[in-house]
Amino acid sequence: MPGLAGVIWIVVVIGAAVLVHRYVVFPTVVRSESMRPSLEPGDVLLAGRVRSRTRLRRGEILVYRDAQTSERRIRRMIGLPGDRVQIADDGVVSVNGDAVFEPYARRSGGFRGSFRVPADRFFVLSDQRGGPHDTRTWRESFVPVGEVVGVARVRLLPWPIVATGVLAR
C-alpha cells in the first residue's frame, strides 16, 4: 500500500498545481522589446490572475489578450476607465491633469495626443515609447477590460531573480 499513498500524493500535488495555475497565478514569457529596460525578451514572469478589475492600479504591468491576434501582450497600465490621458510633445504623460512619474519609461518626443478612456477599457503603453510596440500608434489604443488576464508580480527568470522594483506600481 505505500505505492498507493505515493500515487494519491502525486495526484493531490498535480491537482493543486492545476488549480493554482487556473485560479491564482500563471507564468508568462516576455516576447517583445516593448517593455525594455524594465523587462527583457525571454524574461519569465509570474502573473496573478485578475479577479476584480476594479482593483487594478495605474503603473501595474498587465497581461492581456490582444483582441485581434489572441496573443498575450504585456504593457503598463496608464489610464483607468473614465480617465483623460494626455501625452505632451516631450513625451510626458498626464492623467486627469496630473503629470505621471514614470522612471521606467524611455520617452520619445514628437508624438502628442489626448485620450479619453472609455468606461469598459484601459489605456496601456509600452515602457519603450515611440517604437512599433507602442499602443499610441495602434488603431485601437485601449484594452477591453474583459481581455485583462493578469498582473505581473514577480520576474522568475533569468536566474538569479533580480529585485528591480519595476513590477510594482
Side-chain angles (χ1 to χ4, degrees), residues 5 20 22-23 28 44 64 92 102 106 117 150 153 166:
V20 166
R22 174 102 172 116
Y23 297 105
T28 192
V44 177
Y64 63 93
V92 173
E102 298 183 294
R106 297 299 173 253
V117 184
R153 297 293 182 201
V166 296

Side-chain angles (χ1 to χ4, degrees), residues 55-125:
R55 292 188 163 182
L56 296 175
R57 302 287 176 251
R58 279 183 208 91
E60 290 182 315
I61 297 175
L62 300 184
V63 179
Y64 63 93
R65 284 184 302 272
D66 183 310
Q68 295 174 339
T69 65
S70 297
E71 293 178 17
R72 281 190 181 163
R73 304 264 186 221
I74 299 170
R75 300 290 187 275
R76 195 169 301 270
M77 172 148 39
I78 303 298
L80 299 165
D83 282 348
R84 165 75 63 196
V85 178
Q86 293 181 301
I87 303 172
D89 285 331
D90 61 358
V92 173
V93 175
S94 296
V95 177
N96 301 324
D98 296 323
V100 179
F101 177 65
E102 298 183 294
Y104 44 78
R106 297 299 173 253
R107 294 186 180 96
S108 66
F111 177 88
R112 56 181 271 199
S114 181
F115 305 86
R116 172 67 74 178
V117 184
D120 60 345
R121 306 264 197 256
F122 296 116
F123 183 78
V124 297
L125 291 174

Side-chain angles (χ1 to χ4, degrees), residues 13-32:
V13 168
I14 290 172
V18 167
L19 288 173
V20 166
H21 180 270
R22 174 102 172 116
Y23 297 105
V24 182
V25 296
F26 62 95
T28 192
V29 178
V30 177
R31 304 243 182 246
S32 75

